[in-house]
Amino acid sequence: DDPLALLSGSGTLTRRQEKLAKRLSRQAELKRLRMAQEIQRQLEELEVKQKELEERGVAVEKALRGEGNETDNNKEETELMGEWFALVHEKTRLGRYEQELLVRAKELELEDRQARLQQDLRERLTVDDEMKTKDDIEAEREILNEMMEIVEQRDTLLDMMEEDRLRYRSLGHAKTSLEAGPCVRPNAGFWVLVALGVVVVCLSHVLAPLLVHVSR
């Protein structure tokens, strides 16, 4: 990711290097676009699964209160509670999967911004130092600083994913302990927590700008 990797020893790009850099940059843009589209597709599929999960959770709650359909009402309470625990586990798994997708979308956004900064810096470095103004030099310095900030943000995303992985593992242990312990009925309205608004908001605020920029 070195922004100076394609520079010659004299500090200028040869025509061949410049052509290669542009071709590689375009290929990277198309790859990011495909990945962003795939993330969007997976989030849309996740929305459907979460909706189905929510509906089934509500049905199980009603059955536990004796208000479900005939099939569910004929089930033993232990069977219904077992299904409820399974639904809770699936809700947690889907929530973690959603977070992974959104983190990856943010990472793609940072990659796209970094690539544009690199291209801007390459173009600026083709100008001889004698021709640069103080503003030009300051702009180059700001670009380098922003690129360093992006690297730090990407590292932070990786740390977040690791923390989430450890938290998910601990939740798995908690689930096992809970299933082995006393049976507790879920509170009414519990499945409101499976609301889908977060997916819609994140799609519009995270993926949409990236798709617009990369597709240009």
Side-chain angles (χ1 to χ4, degrees), residues 87-100:
L87 290 170
V88 171
H89 178 69
E90 182 66 4
K91 169 187 173 294
T92 302
R93 188 187 70 82
L94 291 180
R96 181 171 182 264
Y97 179 44
E98 176 189 35
Q99 182 174 351
E100 289 177 353

Side-chain angles (χ1 to χ4, degrees), residues 29-200:
E29 285 183 5
L30 293 175
K31 181 179 179 180
R32 288 193 296 271
L33 175 60
R34 289 192 296 269
M35 294 179 68
Q37 291 172 335
E38 176 62 18
I39 289 174
Q40 183 173 0
R41 183 189 66 79
Q42 292 183 40
L43 283 171
E44 290 171 352
E45 291 180 355
L46 182 62
E47 180 179 356
V48 174
K49 292 179 181 178
Q50 288 179 318
K51 180 64 176 178
E52 294 173 350
L53 187 67
E54 179 184 5
E55 292 174 351
R56 183 54 191 162
V58 171
V60 171
E61 284 186 20
K62 289 182 178 180
L64 286 168
R65 297 195 302 267
E67 302 172 358
N69 57 42
E70 183 177 354
T71 301
D72 287 336
N73 285 340
N74 289 333
K75 293 181 179 179
E76 296 290 336
E77 182 174 355
T78 53
E79 182 181 355
L80 290 171
M81 287 303 302
E83 183 177 357
W84 183 79
F85 279 119
L87 290 170
V88 171
H89 178 69
E90 182 66 4
K91 169 187 173 294
T92 302
R93 188 187 70 82
L94 291 180
R96 181 171 182 264
Y97 179 44
E98 176 189 35
Q99 182 174 351
E100 289 177 353
L101 291 175
L102 294 175
V103 168
R104 182 53 184 146
K106 180 61 178 179
E107 189 176 16
L108 281 175
E109 181 183 351
L110 293 175
E111 288 178 6
D112 186 67
R113 178 57 181 163
Q114 187 176 40
R116 294 176 186 279
L117 289 171
Q118 287 179 340
Q119 181 62 32
D120 188 8
L121 185 61
R122 290 191 190 98
E123 293 174 357
R124 289 177 178 277
L125 290 174
T126 59
V127 180
D128 292 336
D129 291 341
E130 293 79 6
M131 302 294 294
K132 295 179 182 178
T133 65
K134 290 183 178 180
D135 290 340
D136 292 331
I137 296 175
E138 180 62 25
E140 291 178 5
R141 185 179 295 108
E142 290 178 357
I143 290 174
L144 288 172
N145 289 337
E146 185 174 353
M147 290 173 66
M148 291 301 298
E149 291 176 0
I150 289 176
V151 171
E152 293 177 358
Q153 291 180 50
R154 293 174 68 178
D155 289 341
T156 299
L157 287 177
L158 293 177
D159 292 340
M160 287 174 53
M161 289 300 299
E162 178 62 16
E163 291 176 2
D164 182 65
R165 184 186 66 82
L166 296 175
R167 182 167 56 252
Y168 181 73
R169 178 183 296 178
S170 66
L171 285 174
H173 291 315
K175 170 182 176 291
T176 302
S177 300
L178 185 60
E179 289 176 337
C183 181
V184 180
R185 289 176 178 270
N187 293 326
F190 173 83
W191 290 96
V192 174
L193 296 176
V194 198
L196 306 175
V198 174
V199 176
V200 177

